[in-house]
Amino acid sequence: MSSSDFRQIAIRTEAGKAERLFRAAVSAFCSLTRPSRREIAQLEDLTLPLFDEVSVESRRYVAAALSECEYAPAALVRRLAEEPVETAAPLLTRSNALSDIDLIALIGRHGLPHARAIARRKELNPTIADLIRALERPTLVKTRPPETVTKLTPKPEPVTKADDRPAHGEAAENARRRLRSMMRPTGDSADVNTFLGQPAYVKLRETALTGNAAFFQTALADALDIDFATARSVTGQSSYAALLAALRALDLSEDMAFLIAVAVYPGEFPHPQAIRLFLDRYRLLHREAALDKVRAWKAETLSRAIRGNAAAAVDTESREASNSDEASAGLKAS
């Protein structure tokens, strides 16, 4: 079928033909050897408005057809990938239109059924493969003895936590819960930091997925070599701008940075456009600029330490002078 045939199908508007039009347009598109951007956009413009009107069988048919299509329209593929795994499986398993970020987000939203289909992809990103293995067999995540770990973990202070941010509604908490369930060992306690001794990224990822702000802030402080108060200020802001700089300074890949950011700020990613905005900002943030920001944090940490030491010295001198005056007064009295 030629591209002109596809265009003719795309402009038909007969009432009651949504089902047939949906299938026929995709079939015609898949027959194109190398569709143009305009033809990809035409297919999306035609099929997305019809999506809710067609049957599950038609969605399943289209998902199977597009899974073999080298130039499948990304928006339609992402919409189909959100369907139950019985429909989405061909795309989850084979489609090149789904990026690593798309796959991570799908696992976060749909859990084990989608994860198992994604696991069958060839050349799957190792980070995603690790995530799926942890979801399949969470008991493989080793824990440290509570008595060893709790001594090294600062106790959470009564300040505003990530969970308390008013912008996070019930949907955000559900997203956090799904992500947390992927990586937490069965029955672990919120009072135990189970991730000491891990590489920086693993430690950041897994402490973020616990939902415990103090654990993640401790891991961030260790990774950036800053103090706990500075790390707490980085994640205590209403947006992820400061965290973005921290992750960029650590030179994390986009999928690594996104997974951490969505765990710490789930309310910031309510739709795919928000995810795309994060990725654009992350790509545009030069690493040297991020390192400059981290250097400023370290300078503030050092300055705070110097001020603290100076204050302690002044306090000591004051006490010594006071003790000396009291001793002199006692001698005069005697």
Side-chain angles (χ1 to χ4, degrees), residues 57-285:
E57 289 74 15
S58 289
R59 295 177 192 177
R60 192 173 299 161
Y61 168 84
V62 166
L66 291 177
S67 70
E68 305 289 349
C69 185
E70 185 176 357
Y71 301 99
L76 179 57
V77 169
R78 284 195 293 265
R79 181 74 179 271
L80 287 162
E82 298 288 354
E83 291 291 294
V85 72
E86 293 80 7
T87 298
L91 295 170
L92 300 175
T93 305
R94 296 189 292 272
S95 179
N96 295 326
L98 294 172
S99 68
D100 288 343
I101 299 302
D102 293 328
L103 298 176
I104 292 172
L106 286 166
I107 292 171
R109 285 193 290 270
H110 300 282
L112 192 55
H114 275 55
R116 284 174 173 160
I118 291 169
R120 299 200 297 270
R121 294 175 72 92
K122 295 179 180 179
E123 301 179 0
L124 183 63
N125 186 309
T127 299
I128 302 176
D130 290 343
L131 194 64
I132 295 171
R133 278 194 291 271
L135 180 58
E136 284 272 17
R137 304 180 65 186
T139 55
L140 291 180
V141 181
K142 297 181 180 179
T143 61
R144 293 285 294 273
E147 61 275 11
T148 302
V149 177
T150 51
K151 294 178 182 178
L152 301 177
T153 305
K155 294 292 183 182
E157 298 183 23
V159 296
T160 302
K161 300 178 183 177
D163 287 342
D164 295 331
R165 281 193 288 267
H168 292 188
E170 185 177 349
E173 181 55 30
N174 289 339
R176 184 191 298 280
R177 191 178 301 112
R178 284 195 297 270
L179 286 165
R180 185 189 303 145
S181 68
M182 293 180 194
M183 304 302 293
R184 289 186 64 176
T186 303
D188 71 345
S189 168
D191 295 328
V192 180
N193 185 345
T194 62
F195 310 112
L196 296 181
Q198 299 286 349
Y201 165 65
V202 175
K203 191 174 178 181
L204 287 171
R205 179 190 68 191
E206 307 209 0
T207 53
L209 292 175
T210 66
N212 186 304
F215 285 176
F216 178 72
Q217 290 156 1
T218 302
L220 188 64
D222 292 344
L224 296 175
D225 194 24
I226 56 179
D227 63 0
F228 181 74
T230 303
R232 188 175 59 196
S233 71
V234 169
T235 61
Q237 300 178 20
S238 59
S239 74
Y240 57 70
L243 180 62
L244 191 82
L247 300 177
R248 189 69 184 90
L250 293 171
D251 204 21
L252 299 185
S253 64
E254 293 172 10
D255 56 326
M256 290 178 176
F258 171 71
L259 181 57
I260 292 172
V262 77
V264 178
Y265 288 93
E268 293 289 301
F269 303 95
H271 46 69
Q273 288 80 2
I275 299 174
R276 189 175 301 279
L277 178 61
F278 172 87
L279 296 178
D280 288 343
R281 287 176 175 172
Y282 194 74
R283 293 185 192 113
L284 292 172
L285 178 60

Side-chain angles (χ1 to χ4, degrees), residues 4 16 40 56 91 115 121 128 137 185 247 289 294 307 322-323 329:
S4 60
I40 292 173
V56 172
L91 295 170
R121 294 175 72 92
I128 302 176
R137 304 180 65 186
L247 300 177
V294 173
R307 290 197 301 269
S322 177
N323 292 339

